[in-house]
């Protein structure tokens, strides 16, 4: 589990996936999300624009991140 610190109140899910450095492009992030391969707080999330706040847990590609 890795903490990713953001400097704003929230970050959108697709932007967060790119921000982790594990996804290269917005298109890749979009595909993962729409394919149901991303979980937010243990639930599959299919909205690219889902707002993430500090404390949220994001899982994809077998990795776990905490928004800090």
């Amino acid at each position: 589990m890795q903490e990713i610190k953001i400097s704003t109140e929230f970050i959108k899910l697709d932007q967060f996936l790119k921000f982790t450095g594990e996804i290269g492009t917005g298109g890749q992030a979009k595909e993962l999300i729409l394919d149901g391969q991303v979980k937010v707080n243990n639930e599959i999330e299919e909205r690219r624009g889902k707002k993430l706040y500090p404390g949220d847990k994001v899982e994809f590609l077998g990795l776990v991140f905490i928004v800090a």
Side-chain angles (χ1 to χ4, degrees):
M1 186 176 318
Q2 183 179 354
E3 282 193 2
I4 302 289
K5 187 164 180 63
I6 60 173
S7 59
T8 55
E9 179 184 356
F10 66 86
I11 186 170
K12 292 184 179 179
L13 180 58
D14 58 350
Q15 295 171 337
F16 181 79
L17 297 186
K18 291 189 302 183
F19 191 61
T20 66
E22 299 295 330
I23 301 293
T25 68
Q28 290 173 324
K30 178 182 176 181
E31 281 185 41
L32 278 179
I33 295 166
L34 294 178
D35 285 347
Q37 297 183 46
V38 179
K39 287 184 177 181
V40 175
N41 298 325
N42 299 317
E43 294 193 18
I44 293 173
E45 182 57 67
E46 295 180 336
R47 296 173 292 168
R48 292 185 310 159
K50 164 77 173 162
K51 293 179 181 178
L52 303 175
Y53 296 90
D56 284 337
K57 180 172 91 170
V58 180
E59 300 175 63
F60 66 99
L61 300 177
L63 304 167
V64 180
F65 297 91
I66 299 292
V67 181

